[in-house]
Structure formats: C-alpha cells, structure tokens
Amino acid sequence: ALQREEIQLVASLVPVLKAHGSEITTRFYNMMFTAHPELLNIFNHSNQRDGLQQQALASSVYAAAAHIDNLDAIEPVVQHIAHKHCSLNVQPEHYPIVGKYLTLALKDVLGNAVTPEVERVWLKAYDVIADYFIRMEQDIYRSVAGSKGGWTGFRPFIIRRKVQECTDILSLTLEPEDGQPIMTHQPGQYITVKVQKDGYSHLRQYSLISAPGKSYYRIGVKLERDNTEKAGIVSSSLHYDFNEGDRIEISAPYGAFTLDPHASTDVLLLAGGVGITPLLGMARAIAEENPGRRVTLLHAVREKAYHAFGEEINELVAAHPSFSATTLYERCTDADRQAGITAGRITLDWLREHAGQHMDVYLCGPRPFMTAVLSMLQEINHPASQIHLEVFGPALSFPQP
Ligand code: HEM
C-alpha cells in the first residue's frame, strides 16, 4: 500500500496528468507499439486514429490515481474495463509493458516535473492499480473457464445464418465448430470477434441478441464508419467478406452491463439505434425465463431504413401481455405512422409517464442519445442505482450515473 505522503504526491499529479492527458497517452501508444508491435494485434487501430482510446485510458488511469487509497470506490468502472480486457484476452504479463511506456511517456511530456521521487511513487501507484485490475481479471477468467462450455482465448465458430436486418445492421447466428456445449451468457453481454486483415488480428465486441442457454449465439453487427466515412475494418469484413458456412473466431461472453432475468422489478429498456442489440437480448431472456415480468421497451432510430429487429420485437410483445414497445422515427412518414411508429425523439413527458421510480432502467445507444436520456432521467430524479448503461465504443470518458 502507499504511505499517506505518497498518496498526496499521486493526488497532486492528477491535475497535471489531466492537463496533458492526450499528449501523454498518444506518446505512450507510439512508443509502446514501436517496441511491441505484437500489441497491435490486441489494440483497436481505429480507436487510436480517432484519439478516443487515448482519452479512455488516460481518464481511467487518473480516476484510479485519484482513488488510489480506496479503489473499491470505482469498482463498477473497473468491472466494466476488466470484462472488456478479458474479452480481448489481456494477460497479467501485459501490465508491466503498459506501465513502462506510460511512465516513459510521462517523463517525456512532463520533463523535469517528474523527479526521481515522483517517478518512484508513480510506479508504485501504477502497480497498485495494475494489481487491482489483474486480480479482478483473473477472477473473471477463472469463472469463465470453470463454466460449462466456457473457454478462454478464441474458439472457432461457424456462421449458420447471416441476415440483413436493416440498411447497416446484420445479425449472425454462430455455432461452435466442435459441436460441444457453449457457455450460458448473461443478458446484456457481448463476445469479441477476431478478424485477420493486413497482417494483424483485429478484435471487436458485439452484443448478444439471443436468449441465454441456446446451442448458438446470435450477434448484431452495425457497419461502422469513422468521421471520414471510412468503413470499420471488422464490421465491413463481417458485412461484405464473411458468409454463411464460414469459420470465425470468437471469445467467450463477457460484460458487466447485465440484467438478472429472474428479478421482479419492472424493466424499462431504452435503445438508440444499434443499442437495441443487448436490450433485445435482455427482453428475450425475460420472455423465456420470467415471462410475467413487466417490460417496457423504447427504440429510437433515424428512419425506417435504419430500423432493425422491429418484427421480432412486435412478436415478443404480441406473445407477452406484460410487454409493451414504442418505436420512434426521427423522420417519420404517414405510412410509418399508420404502421404504429411514433414520430420524433424521446421526450421528458414520455419518460415521466413510463419511468416509474421503482423501475430498473437499461439504456444503450450512441453518445448523443445516452447523454440526452441520462440527463432526462436525472431531471425526473430517477434513482442512480436503478440506471444501468452501456456506451458502444470506448467508455469512461462518459459519466457514470
Ligand atoms: C480498453 C484502462 C491496461 C488493453 C481500456 C479502456 C480503459 C482501459 C478505460 C476502455 C474501456 C472501454 O472501451 O469500455 C486500462 C487501465 C490499465 C489498462 C487503467 C492499467 C492499469 C491494459 C493492458 C492492456 C490493455 C495491460 C493489454 C496490453 C486494452 C485494449 C482495450 C482496452 C486492447 C480496448 C480498446 C482498444 O483496443 O483500443 N483499457 N487498461 N489495457 N485496454 Fe486497457
């Protein structure tokens, strides 16, 4: 553990780190990938390009540094990252490498401010943080490896069905190549897909939309585009290169954004765009395991062309009197209205009407949707402990409820 003066020294570093956050982490990645190009098989190249990962890693290291004497206070955040790390097969031996280059970058950018004493304490703090992550990740790996049908690393599956669900989202149904059992996931979890391209393996997470306990996993895949309209490496591969019958390698299910289908609280599922995928998985799990539970689902999309899984949701609602669903199109035609679609975006009034104080709210979608809905939930004083959220893409620069 750190001494009181050491904790103070780490705390005094936090504002400096924040001020130079992106600079330090950009430098960190450049140096680390030069020395360890093999790590480019783990890290997301698009995130590097966008600078998003830099922010995520930076802000979490500082969050951890700021809570160095009580890491349990940020346990839920660490859980989320630890699951992500496990889905990427991050191992304990990676931590000293990250620590070494983070420290070198720190010294590079901050210069003389990093005295030998500062460096010693920083390294000690990093070790405390790394140990906390490593322990949590080892627990997760152990539990997955000990589950029936569980595995660590990547396992070959066959694409049994590939269905275009709307303009930019498809679903893939995956069965294990070895025909052996597969681990039962928790609703809301994701798997990582590994795709080889340009000499590297590329890893991306996709949410499970199938109910737990099947002999297959079904995932939703949105065709991603970056801010230059360049298509995502993995999602475009899955959309254009992979077909039914092809072999694909995936991780076991991971993720801390989960719902217990057997609980009795009413559930409100709020989805923006492709954020519907984990929430549909949750609705399916409740439908199968606790069908009398009250579920209210809202799915907001831009317009008809971007509306996926609408028929499936209608069928779920038709078969379960305790389920109800609202679909919103930002651009809504008369024909859409006649088909039961509501025009516009989610409003405070809608939430007031549908989000009872007792309800567990799960929200998932793109950042603007999440920001808007979260602030509305705060405005109607929905208890923070009953708000659960997942941001697609690097998290943690995102506020926790
Ligand atoms: C993702 C923090 C160590 C590899 C992340 C994220 C955070 C984070 C906040 C974003 C989570 C998200 O996307 O939701 C940390 C901290 C570390 C640490 C605080 C040290 C204490 C490591 C190590 C590795 C690693 C040792 C392995 C070499 C990754 C990868 C991602 C990630 C590959 C996914 C995003 C991407 O590919 O850019 N980490 N991490 N991290 N981390 Fe770590």
Side-chain angles (χ1 to χ4, degrees):
L2 270 71
Q3 307 298 317
R4 185 205 288 267
E5 307 80 62
E6 293 178 329
I7 291 171
Q8 275 165 0
L9 203 147
V10 172
S12 73
L13 268 179
V14 172
V16 189
L17 293 172
K18 275 208 174 115
H20 299 273
S22 291
E23 216 182 323
I24 296 167
T25 35
T26 304
R27 188 91 190 93
F28 152 66
Y29 280 114
N30 287 341
M31 289 199 284
M32 185 170 75
F33 291 142
T34 304
H36 290 275
E38 75 280 4
L39 290 180
L40 284 167
N41 290 306
I42 304 184
F43 282 88
N44 179 335
H45 302 200
S46 318
N47 285 351
Q48 307 307 321
R49 206 169 51 219
D50 295 351
L52 280 171
Q53 191 55 38
Q54 279 85 331
Q55 286 173 27
L57 195 129
S59 55
S60 67
V61 173
Y62 314 149
H67 293 87
I68 190 77
D69 56 339
N70 181 19
L71 286 174
D72 287 334
I74 55 165
E75 203 253 11
V77 178
V78 181
Q79 276 285 351
H80 173 97
I81 304 166
H83 274 269
K84 184 68 136 317
H85 282 160
C86 288
S87 86
L88 295 156
N89 206 20
V90 169
Q91 296 295 333
E93 58 267 27
H94 291 134
Y95 279 84
I97 302 175
V98 166
K100 175 178 171 186
Y101 290 97
L102 208 48
T103 309
L104 282 175
L106 201 74
K107 288 165 70 172
D108 246 26
V109 174
L110 300 184
N112 289 339
V114 185
T115 61
E117 174 65 358
V118 168
E119 182 178 350
R120 184 188 68 77
V121 174
W122 164 259
L123 282 171
K124 199 167 164 185
Y126 178 82
D127 281 347
V128 171
I129 298 168
D131 280 348
Y132 193 78
F133 273 82
I134 290 169
R135 244 181 299 128
M136 202 174 273
E137 286 160 19
Q138 291 307 104
D139 282 350
I140 298 170
Y141 281 132
R142 249 195 307 277
S143 130
V144 167
S147 302
K148 181 166 180 269
W151 70 99
T152 50
F154 292 85
R155 178 171 168 188
F157 276 62
I158 304 295
I159 299 175
R160 290 296 178 208
R161 260 168 74 70
K162 177 178 180 180
V163 178
Q164 196 70 39
E165 303 287 354
C166 70
T167 296
D168 61 347
I169 299 174
L170 58 75
S171 69
L172 298 176
T173 303
L174 310 170
E175 282 176 355
E177 186 177 44
D178 60 16
Q180 296 299 307
I182 55 170
M183 187 183 150
T184 294
H185 66 275
Q186 293 176 56
Q189 289 191 310
Y190 51 78
I191 51 100
T192 291
V193 170
K194 175 165 157 181
V195 164
Q196 298 291 341
K197 206 164 187 177
D198 306 330
Y200 292 106
S201 57
H202 300 271
L203 311 176
R204 293 294 183 280
Q205 289 70 42
Y206 297 103
S207 294
L208 290 159
I209 51 187
S210 45
K214 308 286 180 204
S215 58
Y216 59 86
Y217 296 129
R218 183 168 168 239
I219 55 172
V221 179
K222 182 182 169 223
L223 182 63
E224 294 295 346
R225 301 200 178 275
D226 68 11
N227 34 24
T228 64
E229 287 296 299
K230 193 159 173 269
I233 300 167
V234 177
S235 66
S236 66
S237 208
L238 294 175
H239 273 253
Y240 302 127
D241 305 338
F242 281 85
N243 292 304
E244 289 178 358
D246 287 346
R247 189 173 180 271
I248 192 170
E249 287 190 86
I250 67 172
S251 75
Y254 292 96
F257 175 65
T258 57
L259 165 144
D260 173 7
H262 301 285
S264 57
T265 48
D266 293 352
V267 175
L268 180 60
L269 306 174
L270 304 174
V274 72
I276 188 64
T277 48
L279 304 187
L280 178 53
M282 290 176 177
R284 285 200 172 285
I286 294 173
E288 293 198 2
E289 295 177 31
N290 192 1
R293 189 168 175 192
R294 190 179 293 279
V295 174
T296 307
L297 189 150
L298 175 130
H299 189 196
V301 300
R302 256 182 290 170
E303 59 184 307
K304 191 177 167 68
Y306 297 94
H307 184 198
F309 308 116
E311 266 170 50
E312 289 183 37
I313 290 166
N314 288 344
E315 281 165 22
L316 267 181
V317 169
H320 298 86
S322 59
F323 283 34
S324 66
T326 301
T327 307
L328 297 174
Y329 287 179
E330 242 174 85
R331 253 166 289 150
C332 190
T333 65
D334 287 341
D336 296 333
R337 271 191 204 98
Q338 271 152 28
I341 308 294
T342 307
R345 297 184 179 191
I346 184 168
T347 61
L348 203 54
D349 283 342
W350 189 94
L351 269 184
R352 272 212 185 88
E353 193 183 325
H354 292 90
Q357 288 282 312
H358 56 288
M359 289 175 112
D360 269 309
V361 182
Y362 288 80
L363 62 148
C364 185
R367 238 158 253 271
F369 172 85
M370 304 284 283
T371 312
V373 175
L374 194 55
S375 75
M376 286 184 212
L377 285 167
Q378 281 158 351
E379 188 158 343
I380 61 169
N381 293 318
H382 200 81
S385 62
Q386 273 152 250
I387 302 175
H388 316 271
L389 54 89
E390 176 102 306
V391 191
F392 283 164
L396 229 89
S397 23
F398 198 86
Q400 294 292 311

